[in-house]
Amino acid sequence: MAVLEVRDLGKRFDTLQVLHGINFSLEKGEALAIIGSSGSGKTTLLRCLNFLEKPDEGTIIVNNKVIFDAMDPSTQKESEVRKKRLHFGLVFQNFNLFPQYTVLKNVTLAAELLAKERPDYKQNKKAVLEEIQENGRRLLAQVGLSDKLNFYPHQISGGQQQRVAIARALALNPDILCFDEPTSALDPELTGEVLKVIRNLAERNTTMIIVTHEMGFAKDVADRIIFMDDGVIVEQGTPEEIFGNPREERTRQFLARYNEGR
Amino acid sequence: MNQVPVIISRLSESFLINCRLFVLTLLFSLPLGLLIAFGSMCRFKPLRWLVRTFVWVIRGTPLMLQLIIIFFGPGLIGMSVSWPNGDAGRFTAATVAFVINYACYFSEIYRGGIESVPKGQYEAGQVLGMTKRQIFFKVTLLQVIKRIIPPVGNEVMTLVKDTSLARIIANKEIIMMAGEYSSKGLIWPLFATGVYFLIFIGVLTVLFDYLEKKLSYFRA
């Protein structure tokens, strides 16, 4: 069953068409990598899924429910967008950790705020908060940061910050975890630790969309690859198909350019 | 020589007017400034331009002139409700003028602070399902405060000294008091007023240093 279905998604910035006729679906437990050169629309696509940008065309369907339809204003109510966002988690290129909170608090803050909306919050306050804390500690252990719980973001390395950001995104238990070039802002020697965490998530069958420039990593970890160029999906397929035997000329050119640079 | 303690006590008494004006101005202009800042960032264009024009006028004209206009203005245009008579009226008018003036300056400091928080912070809050309110209070506010402490400190120190402008509408603050002596040929009280201001500013310097240190545990 498809967790996510995107149909005919389009997005313009003024007159510039940045996404056009985007169609794809994502199965539960699948890891999808989106590759393509800068400016091809990969990041905008992720931002549309997370409601940071509003698509001009198309529909987004999660768990067989239409959560966005460009033609139907009733699916675009500001008040519901917040809840709909929770289907997705997003890990940013620049981490965007909250600088004034400790590592642990970064991971638990959103869950604590959401818990306040629960009707039984007042009676079980202590137990609920304890559970959130416990979950936060577990996730930080999972990304290998148990010894940094009480550090502030500026006290840890970029790679560690990004791992905190991953734990933070996981804390709300999203259906689909999105990565927007998660290693692009990192020094080369720090990318490994972040990729390892993502690989680990893939092995646990986390449903993921990864926008990345790390071709080797995409090939290894993704179940499926989408190649984008100029706002359209040029080609999609298994890693073997895309990297071993691309059908489209544009894909070939892109991969050739990429290999030249190595 | 035994007039020295008398003069000191009269200077001190009049300095209380400066202090009261200082406290009241901060009390009202700090929150009012935030309201004006929101107005000047409002997505509704007419309101935004109205607010920005108002800020331009207030920042673009001397506070001394504003004091005069606010004190004499209502009477001149024949408004039936004017300032109360005597000291109370003069002091109230001065407070109103100071509050409006400083709120405009603070609003620009707030706006700068709010706009300097990286967009990624708002977006991180959004994708984590936070409401706008939660993002403001839980994510950005403390970062804004950390950033604006130095410029606010500057403004607050300027305010201490600006309070003596209230003498233009006959509020008997410390410099006006000292001026009465100097016009009779006794000059040292005027110099002595400087000590009052220096001590006040000294205390504020320590306070703002403390606040800055208090927020130095994170980087933003």
Side-chain angles (χ1 to χ4, degrees), chain B residues 8 25 45 58 70 73 90 92 106 108 110 113 116 119-120 135 151 157 160 163 188:
Chain B
I8 295 283
T25 300
K45 263 193 179 170
I58 297 296
I70 283 180
R90 288 193 285 271
T92 313
F106 285 136
E108 285 297 287
Y110 294 152
S116 75
K119 217 172 104 214
I135 293 173
M157 288 181 199
V160 177
T163 52
W188 71 261

Side-chain angles (χ1 to χ4, degrees), chain A residues 15-33:
Chain A
T15 55
L16 183 71
Q17 187 88 32
V18 282
L19 289 178
H20 190 68
I22 300 290
N23 282 289
F24 70 93
S25 66
L26 187 67
E27 300 293 319
K28 193 166 168 52
E30 199 178 22
L32 171 72

Side-chain angles (χ1 to χ4, degrees), chain A residues 40-134:
Chain A
S40 59
K42 310 178 301 278
T43 294
T44 306
L45 174 56
L46 275 198
R47 291 174 61 84
C48 284
L49 294 178
N50 283 277
F51 294 90
L52 292 176
E53 305 288 352
K54 195 173 143 208
D56 298 302
E57 301 147 23
T59 40
I60 300 171
I61 301 161
V62 173
N63 295 329
N64 291 323
K65 203 169 159 260
V66 176
I67 64 163
F68 178 87
D69 183 345
M71 307 295 279
D72 180 359
S74 72
T75 64
Q76 301 168 20
K77 283 184 200 136
E78 192 64 36
S79 54
E80 285 162 35
V81 163
R82 193 164 72 87
K83 292 272 177 230
K84 290 174 181 173
R85 280 200 176 107
L86 296 177
H87 290 297
F88 298 89
L90 178 60
V91 175
F92 297 87
Q93 185 176 345
N94 299 316
F95 335 134
N96 293 334
L97 293 182
F98 306 132
Q100 72 268 44
Y101 294 121
T102 62
V103 163
L104 180 60
K105 186 75 177 179
N106 260 280
V107 176
T108 58
L109 177 68
E112 286 165 8
L113 294 174
L114 280 171
K116 285 186 187 167
E117 293 170 29
R118 279 163 46 172
D120 62 339
Y121 177 70
K122 279 212 173 110
Q123 296 124 284
N124 307 325
K125 193 170 167 181
K126 226 180 145 190
V128 170
L129 290 181
E130 189 50 48
E131 195 189 316
I132 291 170
Q133 292 275 314
E134 202 39 59

Side-chain angles (χ1 to χ4, degrees), chain A residues 47 82 97 99-101, chain B residues 121 123 129 138-139 218-219:
Chain A
R47 291 174 61 84
R82 193 164 72 87
L97 293 182
Q100 72 268 44
Y101 294 121
Chain B
Q121 291 289 308
E123 292 183 346
K138 298 286 180 181
V139 176
F218 72 91
R219 258 182 229 156

Side-chain angles (χ1 to χ4, degrees), chain B residues 89-103:
Chain B
R90 288 193 285 271
F91 185 76
T92 313
T95 307
V96 169
F98 270 82
V99 166
I100 292 172
N101 185 279
Y102 272 81

Side-chain angles (χ1 to χ4, degrees), chain A residues 126-198:
Chain A
K126 226 180 145 190
V128 170
L129 290 181
E130 189 50 48
E131 195 189 316
I132 291 170
Q133 292 275 314
E134 202 39 59
N135 190 44
R137 279 196 208 97
R138 182 181 61 77
L139 288 168
L140 284 164
Q142 193 183 322
V143 298
L145 291 173
S146 288
D147 55 337
K148 304 283 186 208
L149 298 183
N150 295 317
F151 282 58
Y152 287 92
H154 76 271
Q155 296 170 317
I156 59 178
S157 73
Q160 291 168 334
Q161 289 188 47
Q162 191 60 302
R163 279 145 67 195
V164 175
I166 294 171
R168 180 175 73 173
L170 285 168
L172 296 180
N173 223 344
D175 297 315
I176 301 148
L177 186 55
C178 303
F179 293 87
D180 182 14
E181 302 188 18
T183 57
S184 294
L186 293 174
D187 292 336
E189 76 267 24
L190 299 176
T191 58
E193 59 187 85
V194 172
L195 295 181
K196 198 175 129 202
V197 166
I198 301 173

